[in-house]
Amino acid sequence: MQLINDLEIQQRIDELKDQDLYIHLEMTTGAYASHLDSSKHPAATFITNACIRYSNGSISGNGPYRVGLKMKQGWVYSEGLTHYVKGETGRLIMAGHDSQGKLIVSLQLSREPF
C-alpha cells in the first residue's frame, strides 16, 4: 500500500459511481485494546459483501482522508484513510493505519465480491 493520492482516489471514485458494487467497510481500535490497557475501549465495525450503488462520492481532507458516498437512501462515510492499493482494476482498496502501522479502518469497493 502507498500513501493516498487524493486526485487519483477521486478519479477512481468517479469511475465506480452509478454501478452495483460490493463494499467492505471495517473499523477497529484493536481486538485486545482493553486487554493491555484498561483505559482503552475496544470497538469494531465490520461489513463485507453488502451491495451498494452511489451517485456521488468524494474524498476530502489533507490526510488522513475522509470518503463519503451518497446513495439513493443514505450515505457511506469513512474517515481516517491514509493508504491505498495502486494499480487495482475494477476495485478500490483504501485503509487507514495508526502511527504504529496498525490497521484502524478499511474501505473497499469492488465489482466482484470480496
Side-chain angles (χ1 to χ4, degrees):
M1 300 193 97
Q2 62 186 55
L3 290 173
I4 282 181
N5 174 325
D6 58 337
L7 297 176
E8 186 172 335
I9 295 299
Q10 185 61 57
Q11 180 181 0
R12 302 292 312 280
I13 289 170
D14 292 342
E15 290 170 356
L16 292 169
K17 76 177 185 181
D18 295 322
Q19 300 177 41
D20 291 331
L21 299 170
Y22 294 92
I23 186 169
H24 175 88
L25 178 61
E26 181 175 357
M27 188 284 299
T28 182
T29 59
Y32 301 103
S34 64
H35 178 70
L36 301 174
D37 182 349
S38 62
S39 68
K40 301 283 185 180
H41 179 85
T45 300
F46 182 87
I47 182 172
T48 194
N49 288 329
C51 295
I52 69 164
R53 175 185 283 255
Y54 61 89
S55 59
N56 191 16
S58 64
I59 183 169
S60 61
N62 296 315
Y65 294 92
R66 296 178 298 277
V67 169
L69 306 172
K70 184 180 187 309
M71 300 178 300
K72 185 176 180 180
Q73 297 180 341
W75 284 85
V76 171
Y77 175 81
S78 183
E79 184 163 358
L81 299 163
T82 57
H83 291 78
Y84 77 112
V85 176
K86 187 176 178 78
E88 289 284 331
T89 57
R91 62 186 189 168
L92 176 56
I93 298 175
M94 298 172 285
H97 301 273
D98 68 10
S99 61
Q100 297 174 342
K102 294 179 181 174
L103 178 68
I104 301 297
V105 62
S106 176
L107 174 61
Q108 303 175 19
L109 301 167
S110 175
R111 295 181 182 115
E112 303 294 326
F114 292 98

